[in-house]
Amino acid sequence: MKAASRILGTAFFLEGYEVQDAPRYGAERRGAPIFAFVRASHDPINERGIIRHPDLVVVADDSLVPVPGAGVMSGVDKHTVVLVNSGDSAEIWKQRLNFEGDVYTLPAEAADRAALRFIGAACAGAAARLLGVIRRDTLADAIRQELADLGADVVEVNLAKALAAFDSMQAHEARVTPIKPGSAAQYQPPDWIDLPFEDARAAAPAIHAGATSVEVRTGLWRTLRPVIDHDRCNRCWWVCSTFCPDGAIAVDPDGRPRIDYDHCKGCMICVAQCPPHAISALSEQAAQTAEKAGASE
Amino acid sequence: MTRTLLTGNGAAAWGARLAGIDYIPAFPITPQTEIIETIGKWIDKGEMDARMVTLDSEHSMITAAGSAAATGVRVFSATSSQGLLYAMEMLYTVAGWRAPFVLVNVSRGLSAPITLEPDHNDVLAARDSGFLQIHCSTCQEVLDSMLIAYRLAEDERVRLPVIVNLDGFYLSFTREPVEIPEHQAVPL
């Protein structure tokens, strides 16, 4: 999504806008949720930081939508346009989110997991059409500028993805309507800011004995879950377990790999490395829902 | 003059490049690392004629910066947060040497627990170190302040190291339009 924000930022800039684009990282690890934002205006932009009331929200990974900590829908109102990279229809999302505003989806992108690495360009392309102020040629120029360092082949694939997404939103051109930004003069500073009294244990390390890191369930961080298809696994004994950066894959004596879901953080390196493609990536939310349904039967 | 989109970190790197720096003692720390990486890339491509050395800590980095500046070469370095605190002892020392160089601090909160978010407690701790401080509010100000900082540091009446401070995330990773002056327009 950093790529998407940069492509949009550059496209706005090429169209003569003042621009601010910025990514926001949390944990520095593969698979960690990130977001990025873009401001554009014909006037100088003095506001900074996270956008509190977005005109357009673009979601590249729909498994983040139900995660409260991700805050995907925070600050939206009925004027906000939401674009979700999802195979589910816009109507399903509107119901699911209980959301009055416009929702659009990118079903073609969602259907093709192998294309996930180009999702930034596709999102930027669709967003550009929804915004209605970025021309098709400008979008293409922005992609060429932003991705130039990655080589001509990468640029071409991203261009194709972005332009296809741009064209797919033809019926919804210029659906995004900017609202006037609030004035700093209207800001009322609070008289008093409550700082809650925090339990001392909130930050204190609780090390009661050695070799207890296994007690920390880092698997809770996962947004995608790798699942092994044991029929397809060729019992190579070593690839997934060796590439796993967290040592969360063990191999049974008969050669069957087992994933320790209490400690798998969902980086999907095993999915990328498995030679017979025997590991697939499922949305953690969907996997948990399916598990609960299975348990209640 | 070129007007282009730069992050605050990119603007700091451009400032160092335009200032014609000779020597960069470096140690990586988020959210500053992009500055050092950018300068490293330029040196590697031959676009900048300077020597970059990675040191074992920020304490050594500031010692190297102060020592090199005392020999008369133009020195640049950058750090953040805990890195600035680790260098704190030497900040006072090299300022006492009246060693003129420019240090960028990309403000980030201090431990514990670990945070990447911006606050000014790192640079406030260096308030009385003898370093002058310039605090920036836009990416353009970052680039401009870099050039002002060298003039200020090297002025015979001043001869003090200068910290150019920019906020993590709000400037460091935020791109906005920045005017980059032509190289010839910046007299060395």
mmCIF file of all heavy atoms in Angstrom, chain A residues 6 9-10 13 18-26 28 48-49 146 203, chain B residues 3-5 7 30 113 116-117 137-138 169-171 173-177:
data_model
loop_
_atom_site.group_PDB
_atom_site.id
_atom_site.type_symbol
_atom_site.label_atom_id
_atom_site.label_comp_id
_atom_site.label_asym_id
_atom_site.label_seq_id
_atom_site.Cartn_x
_atom_site.Cartn_y
_atom_site.Cartn_z
ATOM 1 N N ARG A 6 2.237 6.065 -3.062
ATOM 2 C CA ARG A 6 3.241 6.826 -3.830
ATOM 3 C C ARG A 6 2.786 7.051 -5.259
ATOM 4 O O ARG A 6 2.997 8.124 -5.826
ATOM 5 C CB ARG A 6 4.574 6.083 -3.817
ATOM 6 C CG ARG A 6 5.238 6.165 -2.463
ATOM 7 C CD ARG A 6 6.731 6.076 -2.588
ATOM 8 N NE ARG A 6 7.341 6.553 -1.361
ATOM 9 C CZ ARG A 6 8.607 6.978 -1.267
ATOM 10 N NH1 ARG A 6 9.379 6.965 -2.310
ATOM 11 N NH2 ARG A 6 9.073 7.402 -0.127
ATOM 12 N N GLY A 9 0.112 9.668 -5.075
ATOM 13 C CA GLY A 9 0.723 10.959 -4.735
ATOM 14 C C GLY A 9 1.395 11.583 -5.952
ATOM 15 O O GLY A 9 1.191 12.759 -6.272
ATOM 16 N N THR A 10 2.181 10.770 -6.656
ATOM 17 C CA THR A 10 2.878 11.281 -7.837
ATOM 18 C C THR A 10 1.891 11.661 -8.934
ATOM 19 O O THR A 10 2.059 12.678 -9.609
ATOM 20 C CB THR A 10 3.883 10.225 -8.351
ATOM 21 O OG1 THR A 10 4.847 10.020 -7.324
ATOM 22 C CG2 THR A 10 4.582 10.673 -9.612
ATOM 23 N N PHE A 13 0.439 14.916 -8.092
ATOM 24 C CA PHE A 13 1.469 15.948 -8.277
ATOM 25 C C PHE A 13 1.598 16.301 -9.758
ATOM 26 O O PHE A 13 1.665 17.479 -10.124
ATOM 27 C CB PHE A 13 2.799 15.444 -7.712
ATOM 28 C CG PHE A 13 3.916 16.446 -7.770
ATOM 29 C CD1 PHE A 13 3.857 17.635 -7.058
ATOM 30 C CD2 PHE A 13 5.047 16.206 -8.546
ATOM 31 C CE1 PHE A 13 4.890 18.564 -7.105
ATOM 32 C CE2 PHE A 13 6.081 17.123 -8.609
ATOM 33 C CZ PHE A 13 6.000 18.300 -7.884
ATOM 34 N N GLU A 18 -0.975 20.077 -4.935
ATOM 35 C CA GLU A 18 -0.101 19.964 -3.775
ATOM 36 C C GLU A 18 -0.406 18.602 -3.150
ATOM 37 O O GLU A 18 -1.568 18.191 -3.108
ATOM 38 C CB GLU A 18 -0.378 21.074 -2.758
ATOM 39 C CG GLU A 18 -0.018 22.454 -3.245
ATOM 40 C CD GLU A 18 1.470 22.604 -3.516
ATOM 41 O OE1 GLU A 18 2.272 22.221 -2.645
ATOM 42 O OE2 GLU A 18 1.830 23.074 -4.606
ATOM 43 N N VAL A 19 0.625 17.921 -2.661
ATOM 44 C CA VAL A 19 0.457 16.526 -2.266
ATOM 45 C C VAL A 19 1.167 16.245 -0.954
ATOM 46 O O VAL A 19 2.180 16.862 -0.626
ATOM 47 C CB VAL A 19 1.058 15.588 -3.351
ATOM 48 C CG1 VAL A 19 0.980 14.139 -2.918
ATOM 49 C CG2 VAL A 19 0.370 15.769 -4.677
ATOM 50 N N GLN A 20 0.608 15.309 -0.221
ATOM 51 C CA GLN A 20 1.318 14.723 0.928
ATOM 52 C C GLN A 20 1.011 13.231 0.892
ATOM 53 O O GLN A 20 -0.156 12.859 0.891
ATOM 54 C CB GLN A 20 0.723 15.325 2.196
ATOM 55 C CG GLN A 20 1.675 15.495 3.334
ATOM 56 C CD GLN A 20 0.906 15.938 4.563
ATOM 57 O OE1 GLN A 20 0.165 15.171 5.155
ATOM 58 N NE2 GLN A 20 1.064 17.191 4.919
ATOM 59 N N ASP A 21 2.023 12.385 0.812
ATOM 60 C CA ASP A 21 1.749 10.954 0.944
ATOM 61 C C ASP A 21 2.717 10.344 1.932
ATOM 62 O O ASP A 21 3.867 10.776 2.023
ATOM 63 C CB ASP A 21 1.747 10.225 -0.404
ATOM 64 C CG ASP A 21 3.103 10.147 -1.069
ATOM 65 O OD1 ASP A 21 4.031 9.579 -0.471
ATOM 66 O OD2 ASP A 21 3.230 10.646 -2.209
ATOM 67 N N ALA A 22 2.220 9.390 2.711
ATOM 68 C CA ALA A 22 3.059 8.836 3.770
ATOM 69 C C ALA A 22 2.571 7.450 4.171
ATOM 70 O O ALA A 22 1.369 7.223 4.276
ATOM 71 C CB ALA A 22 3.040 9.746 4.988
ATOM 72 N N PRO A 23 3.510 6.536 4.379
ATOM 73 C CA PRO A 23 3.135 5.229 4.926
ATOM 74 C C PRO A 23 3.204 5.270 6.441
ATOM 75 O O PRO A 23 3.854 6.148 7.030
ATOM 76 C CB PRO A 23 4.232 4.314 4.396
ATOM 77 C CG PRO A 23 5.440 5.198 4.344
ATOM 78 C CD PRO A 23 4.946 6.607 4.088
ATOM 79 N N ARG A 24 2.520 4.370 7.072
ATOM 80 C CA ARG A 24 2.551 4.277 8.527
ATOM 81 C C ARG A 24 2.851 2.821 8.862
ATOM 82 O O ARG A 24 2.036 1.952 8.563
ATOM 83 C CB ARG A 24 1.171 4.656 9.058
ATOM 84 C CG ARG A 24 1.141 4.952 10.512
ATOM 85 C CD ARG A 24 1.499 6.387 10.760
ATOM 86 N NE ARG A 24 1.536 6.620 12.193
ATOM 87 C CZ ARG A 24 1.959 7.743 12.726
ATOM 88 N NH1 ARG A 24 2.366 8.715 11.977
ATOM 89 N NH2 ARG A 24 1.975 7.893 14.028
ATOM 90 N N TYR A 25 4.002 2.567 9.422
ATOM 91 C CA TYR A 25 4.348 1.187 9.739
ATOM 92 C C TYR A 25 4.110 0.920 11.203
ATOM 93 O O TYR A 25 4.239 1.798 12.034
ATOM 94 C CB TYR A 25 5.829 0.894 9.482
ATOM 95 C CG TYR A 25 6.360 1.350 8.166
ATOM 96 C CD1 TYR A 25 7.086 2.519 8.071
ATOM 97 C CD2 TYR A 25 6.136 0.609 7.027
ATOM 98 C CE1 TYR A 25 7.595 2.937 6.853
ATOM 99 C CE2 TYR A 25 6.641 1.019 5.813
ATOM 100 C CZ TYR A 25 7.371 2.183 5.737
ATOM 101 O OH TYR A 25 7.866 2.604 4.551
ATOM 102 N N GLY A 26 3.836 -0.330 11.507
ATOM 103 C CA GLY A 26 3.816 -0.735 12.906
ATOM 104 C C GLY A 26 5.020 -1.626 13.109
ATOM 105 O O GLY A 26 6.166 -1.185 13.002
ATOM 106 N N GLU A 28 7.952 -4.111 12.428
ATOM 107 C CA GLU A 28 8.794 -4.277 11.256
ATOM 108 C C GLU A 28 8.978 -5.756 10.974
ATOM 109 O O GLU A 28 9.977 -6.350 11.341
ATOM 110 C CB GLU A 28 10.141 -3.596 11.475
ATOM 111 C CG GLU A 28 9.979 -2.097 11.610
ATOM 112 C CD GLU A 28 11.304 -1.393 11.835
ATOM 113 O OE1 GLU A 28 12.088 -1.308 10.896
ATOM 114 O OE2 GLU A 28 11.538 -0.941 12.952
ATOM 115 N N ARG A 48 -1.290 17.574 8.991
ATOM 116 C CA ARG A 48 -0.337 16.467 8.911
ATOM 117 C C ARG A 48 -0.833 15.270 9.690
ATOM 118 O O ARG A 48 -1.751 15.373 10.480
ATOM 119 C CB ARG A 48 1.017 16.877 9.515
ATOM 120 C CG ARG A 48 1.798 17.702 8.605
ATOM 121 C CD ARG A 48 3.142 18.103 9.129
ATOM 122 N NE ARG A 48 3.689 18.978 8.119
ATOM 123 C CZ ARG A 48 4.299 18.534 7.036
ATOM 124 N NH1 ARG A 48 4.531 17.261 6.858
ATOM 125 N NH2 ARG A 48 4.715 19.382 6.133
ATOM 126 N N GLY A 49 -0.146 14.165 9.477
ATOM 127 C CA GLY A 49 -0.435 12.970 10.261
ATOM 128 C C GLY A 49 -1.545 12.146 9.651
ATOM 129 O O GLY A 49 -1.911 12.313 8.493
ATOM 130 N N GLU A 146 7.462 5.885 -10.379
ATOM 131 C CA GLU A 146 7.597 5.296 -9.043
ATOM 132 C C GLU A 146 8.297 3.944 -9.071
ATOM 133 O O GLU A 146 8.983 3.568 -8.131
ATOM 134 C CB GLU A 146 6.223 5.150 -8.388
ATOM 135 C CG GLU A 146 5.687 6.439 -7.815
ATOM 136 C CD GLU A 146 6.656 7.098 -6.851
ATOM 137 O OE1 GLU A 146 7.282 6.381 -6.051
ATOM 138 O OE2 GLU A 146 6.806 8.326 -6.925
ATOM 139 N N ALA A 203 4.065 -2.678 31.274
ATOM 140 C CA ALA A 203 5.306 -2.624 30.506
ATOM 141 C C ALA A 203 6.428 -3.428 31.148
ATOM 142 O O ALA A 203 7.470 -3.615 30.535
ATOM 143 C CB ALA A 203 5.752 -1.177 30.334
ATOM 144 N N ARG B 3 11.288 20.980 -8.792
ATOM 145 C CA ARG B 3 10.292 20.780 -7.725
ATOM 146 C C ARG B 3 9.822 19.341 -7.829
ATOM 147 O O ARG B 3 9.289 18.927 -8.862
ATOM 148 C CB ARG B 3 9.129 21.757 -7.902
ATOM 149 C CG ARG B 3 8.205 21.810 -6.695
ATOM 150 C CD ARG B 3 7.344 23.074 -6.738
ATOM 151 N NE ARG B 3 6.596 23.239 -5.493
ATOM 152 C CZ ARG B 3 5.335 22.833 -5.321
ATOM 153 N NH1 ARG B 3 4.693 22.223 -6.308
ATOM 154 N NH2 ARG B 3 4.726 23.011 -4.155
ATOM 155 N N THR B 4 10.049 18.569 -6.782
ATOM 156 C CA THR B 4 9.724 17.146 -6.832
ATOM 157 C C THR B 4 9.206 16.680 -5.475
ATOM 158 O O THR B 4 9.279 17.422 -4.495
ATOM 159 C CB THR B 4 10.979 16.344 -7.258
ATOM 160 O OG1 THR B 4 10.609 14.997 -7.498
ATOM 161 C CG2 THR B 4 12.061 16.390 -6.201
ATOM 162 N N LEU B 5 8.696 15.451 -5.432
ATOM 163 C CA LEU B 5 8.198 14.909 -4.161
ATOM 164 C C LEU B 5 9.346 14.253 -3.404
ATOM 165 O O LEU B 5 10.014 13.373 -3.934
ATOM 166 C CB LEU B 5 7.102 13.871 -4.418
ATOM 167 C CG LEU B 5 5.778 14.385 -4.973
ATOM 168 C CD1 LEU B 5 4.833 13.226 -5.250
ATOM 169 C CD2 LEU B 5 5.123 15.352 -4.005
ATOM 170 N N THR B 7 10.554 12.782 0.678
ATOM 171 C CA THR B 7 10.286 12.603 2.105
ATOM 172 C C THR B 7 11.179 13.565 2.884
ATOM 173 O O THR B 7 12.154 14.104 2.332
ATOM 174 C CB THR B 7 10.629 11.177 2.560
ATOM 175 O OG1 THR B 7 12.014 10.936 2.284
ATOM 176 C CG2 THR B 7 9.783 10.126 1.869
ATOM 177 N N THR B 30 15.970 3.390 12.956
ATOM 178 C CA THR B 30 14.672 3.895 12.486
ATOM 179 C C THR B 30 14.278 5.091 13.338
ATOM 180 O O THR B 30 14.496 5.055 14.550
ATOM 181 C CB THR B 30 13.603 2.789 12.642
ATOM 182 O OG1 THR B 30 13.959 1.711 11.792
ATOM 183 C CG2 THR B 30 12.232 3.276 12.278
ATOM 184 N N PRO B 113 8.194 0.971 26.920
ATOM 185 C CA PRO B 113 8.598 -0.075 26.002
ATOM 186 C C PRO B 113 8.945 0.537 24.660
ATOM 187 O O PRO B 113 8.768 1.732 24.478
ATOM 188 C CB PRO B 113 7.341 -0.939 25.911
ATOM 189 C CG PRO B 113 6.221 0.013 26.148
ATOM 190 C CD PRO B 113 6.744 1.040 27.099
ATOM 191 N N LEU B 116 8.076 3.489 18.013
ATOM 192 C CA LEU B 116 8.579 4.104 16.786
ATOM 193 C C LEU B 116 7.963 5.482 16.602
ATOM 194 O O LEU B 116 8.316 6.214 15.697
ATOM 195 C CB LEU B 116 8.214 3.248 15.563
ATOM 196 C CG LEU B 116 8.694 1.809 15.566
ATOM 197 C CD1 LEU B 116 8.201 1.081 14.322
ATOM 198 C CD2 LEU B 116 10.206 1.748 15.624
ATOM 199 N N GLU B 117 7.017 5.826 17.467
ATOM 200 C CA GLU B 117 6.250 7.056 17.277
ATOM 201 C C GLU B 117 7.104 8.283 17.603
ATOM 202 O O GLU B 117 8.030 8.225 18.390
ATOM 203 C CB GLU B 117 5.012 7.038 18.179
ATOM 204 C CG GLU B 117 4.082 5.884 17.890
ATOM 205 C CD GLU B 117 3.456 5.949 16.504
ATOM 206 O OE1 GLU B 117 2.970 7.031 16.130
ATOM 207 O OE2 GLU B 117 3.456 4.940 15.799
ATOM 208 N N SER B 137 9.496 22.181 10.175
ATOM 209 C CA SER B 137 8.072 21.842 10.153
ATOM 210 C C SER B 137 7.585 21.358 8.792
ATOM 211 O O SER B 137 6.457 20.918 8.673
ATOM 212 C CB SER B 137 7.223 23.033 10.618
ATOM 213 O OG SER B 137 7.430 24.128 9.768
ATOM 214 N N THR B 138 8.429 21.468 7.751
ATOM 215 C CA THR B 138 8.051 20.911 6.439
ATOM 216 C C THR B 138 9.291 20.259 5.830
ATOM 217 O O THR B 138 10.423 20.507 6.268
ATOM 218 C CB THR B 138 7.563 22.005 5.461
ATOM 219 O OG1 THR B 138 8.673 22.871 5.161
ATOM 220 C CG2 THR B 138 6.418 22.823 6.026
ATOM 221 N N PHE B 169 8.038 10.102 11.053
ATOM 222 C CA PHE B 169 6.766 9.891 10.362
ATOM 223 C C PHE B 169 6.193 11.198 9.792
ATOM 224 O O PHE B 169 6.041 11.320 8.586
ATOM 225 C CB PHE B 169 5.704 9.211 11.242
ATOM 226 C CG PHE B 169 5.984 7.757 11.446
ATOM 227 C CD1 PHE B 169 6.681 7.313 12.560
ATOM 228 C CD2 PHE B 169 5.570 6.811 10.516
ATOM 229 C CE1 PHE B 169 6.954 5.974 12.744
ATOM 230 C CE2 PHE B 169 5.836 5.471 10.689
ATOM 231 C CZ PHE B 169 6.531 5.046 11.814
ATOM 232 N N TYR B 170 5.891 12.188 10.661
ATOM 233 C CA TYR B 170 5.239 13.415 10.194
ATOM 234 C C TYR B 170 6.080 14.117 9.140
ATOM 235 O O TYR B 170 5.564 14.815 8.280
ATOM 236 C CB TYR B 170 4.961 14.369 11.358
ATOM 237 C CG TYR B 170 3.876 13.852 12.259
ATOM 238 C CD1 TYR B 170 4.179 13.108 13.382
ATOM 239 C CD2 TYR B 170 2.546 14.081 11.951
ATOM 240 C CE1 TYR B 170 3.180 12.601 14.199
ATOM 241 C CE2 TYR B 170 1.532 13.588 12.750
ATOM 242 C CZ TYR B 170 1.855 12.845 13.882
ATOM 243 O OH TYR B 170 0.865 12.343 14.671
ATOM 244 N N LEU B 171 7.400 13.986 9.236
ATOM 245 C CA LEU B 171 8.281 14.502 8.188
ATOM 246 C C LEU B 171 9.127 13.390 7.567
ATOM 247 O O LEU B 171 9.256 13.326 6.359
ATOM 248 C CB LEU B 171 9.200 15.603 8.735
ATOM 249 C CG LEU B 171 8.537 16.949 9.031
ATOM 250 C CD1 LEU B 171 9.524 17.892 9.695
ATOM 251 C CD2 LEU B 171 8.012 17.583 7.748
ATOM 252 N N PHE B 173 8.906 10.224 6.844
ATOM 253 C CA PHE B 173 8.360 9.320 5.828
ATOM 254 C C PHE B 173 7.258 9.978 5.004
ATOM 255 O O PHE B 173 6.600 9.323 4.216
ATOM 256 C CB PHE B 173 7.805 8.051 6.486
ATOM 257 C CG PHE B 173 8.835 7.243 7.211
ATOM 258 C CD1 PHE B 173 8.516 6.546 8.367
ATOM 259 C CD2 PHE B 173 10.128 7.159 6.732
ATOM 260 C CE1 PHE B 173 9.466 5.791 9.042
ATOM 261 C CE2 PHE B 173 11.097 6.410 7.396
ATOM 262 C CZ PHE B 173 10.759 5.724 8.555
ATOM 263 N N THR B 174 7.012 11.258 5.221
ATOM 264 C CA THR B 174 5.957 11.951 4.486
ATOM 265 C C THR B 174 6.559 12.661 3.275
ATOM 266 O O THR B 174 7.503 13.436 3.424
ATOM 267 C CB THR B 174 5.253 12.974 5.398
ATOM 268 O OG1 THR B 174 4.677 12.271 6.499
ATOM 269 C CG2 THR B 174 4.172 13.738 4.647
ATOM 270 N N ARG B 175 5.996 12.367 2.096
ATOM 271 C CA ARG B 175 6.495 13.038 0.893
ATOM 272 C C ARG B 175 5.670 14.277 0.626
ATOM 273 O O ARG B 175 4.444 14.248 0.748
ATOM 274 C CB ARG B 175 6.367 12.128 -0.330
ATOM 275 C CG ARG B 175 7.360 11.034 -0.396
ATOM 276 C CD ARG B 175 7.489 10.486 -1.823
ATOM 277 N NE ARG B 175 6.225 10.289 -2.509
ATOM 278 C CZ ARG B 175 6.123 9.913 -3.779
ATOM 279 N NH1 ARG B 175 7.206 9.711 -4.497
ATOM 280 N NH2 ARG B 175 4.945 9.743 -4.339
ATOM 281 N N GLU B 176 6.323 15.359 0.271
ATOM 282 C CA GLU B 176 5.620 16.538 -0.205
ATOM 283 C C GLU B 176 6.494 17.237 -1.234
ATOM 284 O O GLU B 176 7.677 16.923 -1.351
ATOM 285 C CB GLU B 176 5.222 17.483 0.940
ATOM 286 C CG GLU B 176 6.034 17.393 2.182
ATOM 287 C CD GLU B 176 5.598 18.379 3.257
ATOM 288 O OE1 GLU B 176 4.397 18.651 3.385
ATOM 289 O OE2 GLU B 176 6.479 18.879 3.950
ATOM 290 N N PRO B 177 5.929 18.165 -1.985
ATOM 291 C CA PRO B 177 6.738 18.844 -2.999
ATOM 292 C C PRO B 177 7.860 19.655 -2.343
ATOM 293 O O PRO B 177 7.608 20.394 -1.389
ATOM 294 C CB PRO B 177 5.739 19.766 -3.702
ATOM 295 C CG PRO B 177 4.398 19.189 -3.405
ATOM 296 C CD PRO B 177 4.511 18.575 -2.052
#
